[in-house]
Amino acid sequence: MFQLIRKLIILTATLPFAALLSAQEPVRPVSTAWMAEVGSSHLADTYLSPIRYSGMHYGLTYSRLQAMKSPLLPCVQGWDLGLSFDKTRNRAGNATILGARLEGSWRMMRRWHLAKGFQAGVGGYAGAEFGALYLSRNSNNPAQAIGAVCVGPEAFVQWTGKLKKLPLAVRWQLSSPLAGAFFCPNYGELYYEIQLGNRSDLVHFAWPGSRRSVRSLLSVDLNFGRSTLRLGYSFNALSSKANNVTSRRISHAAVVGIVCDLVTLNPRKSDANILPAYY
Amino acid sequence: MRTSCLHIISLLLPLAVALSACHPIEEFPADNSGNFEALWTAVDEHYCFFAEKDVDWNRIRNQYAPLITADLSKQQLFGVCADMINELRDGHTNLSSGFQTSYYRKWWSDYPQNYDARLIEENYLNFEYSQLGNVTYGILPQNIGYIAIPSFNSGLGNGNIDWILSSMASANALIIDLRDNGGGSMSYAETWVRHFIRQPLTAGYIQHKTGPAHDAFDSPRPITFEPLSADNIIWIKPVAILTNRSTFSAANYMTMCMRSIPGVIHVGATTGGGAGMPITLELPNGWSIRMSAVRVYDSQMHITEHGIEPTAGCAVDLDPAQALQGHDSILDLAITKLSK
């Protein structure tokens, strides 16, 4: 009890100084984006079929990015969460592979202001994805699970300026995993056998030789006052090979989204020093 | 600092482009020759019984490839391809198109059928049997329970099987008739088997391929069933399994599992086999090819692809003359064995 009272006294005594310190820190708005994408999808997974499938790709992504507090290096950090769905057909048009994935990643990048309006960032990310592919007409191999965790470099370049009087930001961001782990059943192994308890050789070390991937987003943010419209083009490519099973997922998609900077401000502080993530 | 940033990005860009290159996947054109090659390759790389059936797949290719010409109609192409995969003599291997599914029938058509469901329903059960799902059951006049499972395309849950077995609690023994059961899901067969064990049972072994080579196999892994909880009905009285040549695939698997339970006798004819779990792949023209790809062994590490012979002294065919008198000689032998 005595210790609790002492802690309360110390906290009360230091509160004004803490408030003073926070008043000197810049406000760091969270750049938040809700994006939807629609495009083409190309899938192949030799566990299900040796034939490539093509069709539609749909996705929803929620993304956050915020400048970090670090006074030494100007860095940004954020995370995103995405849900995607693919519906593809074989060349003959008589079979369908459905795919669904949930993925999330966290990233941190050092950024540089290169020239007036230009900036770039380089850093890394850690991500995970889970999902499945489903080919209904197959007998004992109708589905393939997707599961991976990875880390890798990420970079962006951005130009911020105006088109006539319209503020805009053109950005290209790119990421590629370098290491991690991913799931792949053995060449002829059925999920029935995994269910019986044979779980050896299912998780593989991911490196560019076994699992390589590129995620790219070229976007234009058009600022209409209080809201920002994002238009873009997304390209994702992934290829993996383990246990003589080759998987491939490629998508090209048009992106449309809404971006806004979220700030938590004390209305009594009029001299807030704002440090945005992007602009 | 800005220069270093540009250096980093200029290094990352070509790296990302290089990393986007995909692992190669062998592809074939969608013409007659390409489809034939795709079929031959799929079987070559995934089929699991070349050695057991002494099939020289390269010789088969040399035999059939000259028959493939660009002017073959798709029906003619299908015929040549079906003939080629029938060389595997495998009931689990089918080629399916929009107009036909190939099927190798000799594994059962060269043998007597040995089964007439009505013979039992009329003369042994007097049509007073019960039915749950696709399973029929009743108690024979000799106070022996009788269960006919015609297929594992649909299954029963443990509660259903508890109900059936508890309805036979007064019976002295049980006959499970798997004749004409062409299989389905192995899980459904496993559900039945677990009602006959009181301790963990290694019923067999399973072995998958690890690569395209004909001899690339993982080491066999045991198929072990755990006993059910005390809430379920476990049958501990004598059991006989009846089979004919059409007892295939998952039914062959159930026969194999039941044979590994001490005291279970197996009466009738050798099963049809089908001990390769099938997978499905496809050709560029959309035809699908199903084939045996995973080997299943019995508890003695014997492959049962060619069928399981009945217990010594229990092999019998259905006698047509006796059948005309209303007798099923296979069922009669099982009753005699269980009545001793």
Side-chain angles (χ1 to χ4, degrees):
Chain A
M1 190 58 153
F2 176 74
Q3 282 188 342
L4 181 64
I5 293 170
R6 197 175 70 172
K7 281 181 182 174
L8 283 172
I9 292 170
I10 293 171
L11 191 64
T12 309
T14 56
L15 207 54
F17 298 102
L20 189 64
L21 282 172
S22 66
Q24 293 170 342
E25 285 179 359
V27 174
R28 298 171 296 111
V30 179
S31 177
T32 306
W34 291 267
M35 293 176 283
E37 63 184 56
V38 179
S40 66
S41 173
H42 306 276
L43 301 175
D45 189 302
T46 57
Y47 184 83
L48 301 175
S49 168
I51 305 298
R52 282 186 298 167
Y53 280 59
S54 296
M56 293 298 292
H57 168 81
Y58 310 91
L60 291 171
T61 305
Y62 173 69
S63 174
R64 291 167 64 98
L65 199 68
Q66 186 177 29
M68 294 179 70
K69 282 182 179 177
S70 168
L72 299 175
L73 289 174
C75 291
V76 292
Q77 65 97 22
W79 56 269
D80 57 39
L81 190 65
L83 184 66
S84 65
F85 177 76
D86 299 278
K87 184 178 183 183
T88 58
R89 302 277 283 172
N90 61 357
R91 269 188 283 173
N94 64 351
T96 302
I97 288 183
L98 300 177
R101 282 181 300 126
L102 177 67
E103 56 191 322
S105 61
W106 175 87
R107 57 187 41 78
M108 188 170 77
M109 286 178 279
R110 161 80 160 94
R111 65 176 178 177
W112 290 268
H113 288 278
L114 303 174
K116 187 176 186 315
F118 282 95
Q119 63 172 300
V122 176
Y125 80 100
E129 66 167 352
F130 302 96
L133 300 176
Y134 177 61
L135 177 51
S136 62
R137 79 170 181 179
N138 279 6
S139 47
N140 284 307
N141 57 328
Q144 172 73 301
I146 295 169
V149 291
C150 58
V151 293
E154 178 160 339
F156 75 88
V157 289
Q158 176 176 298
W159 173 77
T160 308
K162 285 190 176 180
L163 183 64
K164 295 188 177 176
K165 289 184 177 179
L166 180 67
L168 56 83
V170 181
R171 183 170 57 257
W172 181 41
Q173 63 188 65
L174 189 69
S175 63
S176 182
L178 276 187
F182 68 106
F183 170 88
C184 181
N186 218 317
Y187 182 72
E189 185 175 19
L190 306 179
Y191 281 82
Y192 174 74
E193 191 179 348
I194 297 171
Q195 175 252 316
L196 285 174
N198 183 7
R199 301 195 173 99
S200 62
D201 207 19
L202 296 178
V203 179
H204 306 271
F205 177 63
W207 65 288
S210 63
R211 187 177 185 274
R212 43 192 181 244
S213 165
V214 169
R215 297 175 59 82
S216 165
L217 175 64
L218 178 64
S219 62
V220 181
D221 288 359
L222 305 169
N223 188 301
F224 298 99
R226 289 182 179 176
S227 59
T228 300
L229 175 68
R230 174 170 292 175
L231 301 173
Y233 161 71
S234 162
F235 168 72
N236 294 326
L238 178 143
S239 176
S240 69
K241 184 171 185 179
N243 290 337
N244 291 303
V245 175
T246 303
S247 284
R248 192 183 288 179
R249 300 197 305 264
I250 298 171
S251 67
H252 303 269
V255 177
V256 60
I258 296 172
V259 185
C260 54
D261 278 355
L262 303 179
V263 180
T264 305
L265 281 178
N266 185 337
R268 282 174 288 187
K269 295 175 183 172
S270 58
D271 57 344
N273 180 11
I274 297 175
L275 179 60
Y278 277 135
Y279 309 115
Chain B
M1 187 60 83
R2 291 173 185 173
T3 310
S4 64
C5 167
L6 289 174
H7 282 163
I8 293 170
I9 291 176
S10 63
L11 282 172
L12 284 178
L13 278 176
L15 178 67
V17 171
L19 294 184
S20 66
C22 292
H23 297 89
I25 295 176
E26 188 175 16
E27 294 186 66
F28 297 92
D31 57 19
N32 286 350
S33 179
N35 283 304
F36 175 84
E37 289 298 331
L39 172 64
W40 184 88
T41 303
V43 174
D44 184 56
E45 295 180 347
H46 290 87
Y47 188 70
C48 66
F49 288 133
F50 284 121
E52 288 72 17
K53 299 195 174 183
D54 194 23
V55 172
D56 182 345
W57 196 235
N58 287 311
R59 182 188 64 76
I60 299 291
R61 180 183 182 280
N62 294 336
Q63 179 183 337
Y64 285 89
L67 305 179
I68 304 298
T69 56
D71 58 348
L72 284 184
S73 68
K74 60 183 180 182
Q75 288 82 3
Q76 290 170 319
L77 174 67
F78 186 93
V80 175
C81 290
D83 288 345
M84 181 173 76
I85 62 170
N86 281 345
E87 298 277 358
L88 297 169
R89 308 185 304 278
D90 191 318
H92 266 151
T93 298
N94 318 92
L95 181 65
S96 293
S97 69
F99 52 87
Q100 194 174 349
T101 296
S102 75
Y103 193 74
Y104 177 76
R105 299 185 178 88
K106 287 184 177 294
W107 59 270
W108 60 268
S109 64
D110 286 356
Y111 301 83
Q113 196 58 36
N114 283 327
Y115 182 58
D116 180 353
R118 182 168 178 127
L119 193 60
I120 299 164
E121 292 166 357
E122 182 174 346
N123 296 292
Y124 292 79
L125 298 170
N126 196 29
F127 293 116
E128 291 177 355
Y129 55 86
S130 301
Q131 181 142 5
L132 184 53
N134 64 355
V135 173
T136 54
Y137 62 98
I139 297 181
L140 301 172
Q142 297 82 2
N143 197 32
I144 293 173
Y146 173 84
I147 300 173
I149 309 173
S151 167
F152 288 118
N153 286 328
S154 60
L156 297 182
N158 286 320
N160 305 127
I161 297 172
D162 282 346
W163 176 262
I164 293 172
L165 294 179
S166 62
S167 74
M168 298 178 174
S170 62
N172 297 324
L174 179 64
I175 292 171
I176 299 177
D177 198 340
L178 293 176
R179 287 178 289 177
D180 276 11
N181 184 326
S185 169
M186 290 167 71
S187 299
Y188 296 148
E190 177 187 331
T191 305
W192 277 99
V193 172
R194 293 181 70 199
H195 283 268
F196 298 91
I197 60 173
R198 286 182 286 176
Q199 54 194 11
L201 172 76
T202 296
Y205 294 84
I206 190 167
Q207 186 182 38
H208 62 250
K209 290 197 73 179
T210 56
H214 288 192
D215 58 353
F217 284 95
D218 193 17
S219 55
R221 308 279 178 158
I223 302 170
T224 303
F225 301 146
E226 295 295 325
L228 293 167
S229 71
D231 297 335
N232 293 105
I233 305 291
I234 307 298
W235 186 271
I236 58 174
K237 297 175 187 176
V239 177
I241 300 288
L242 310 188
T243 65
N244 63 354
R245 190 63 185 168
S246 295
T247 302
F248 187 69
S249 188
N252 182 74
Y253 177 69
M254 179 166 173
T255 306
M256 180 194 91
C257 296
M258 294 298 290
R259 286 287 299 269
S260 62
I261 300 173
V264 172
I265 60 170
H266 171 193
V267 181
T270 301
T271 64
M277 292 184 69
I279 63 164
T280 305
L281 297 172
E282 68 183 307
L283 311 187
N285 61 2
W287 295 354
S288 65
I289 169 69
R290 187 178 79 135
M291 74 189 96
S292 297
V294 176
R295 292 167 165 173
V296 178
Y297 300 82
D298 67 11
S299 58
Q300 307 301 311
M301 280 298 294
H302 299 131
I303 287 181
T304 60
E305 169 66 7
H306 300 294
I308 304 169
E309 292 181 2
T311 305
C314 294
V316 61
D317 283 327
L318 189 142
D319 184 335
Q322 286 192 31
L324 289 173
Q325 304 298 317
H327 285 282
D328 181 332
S329 44
I330 293 177
L331 181 57
D332 286 347
L333 179 60
I335 292 170
T336 303
K337 294 280 183 183
L338 292 173
S339 300
K340 283 182 181 174

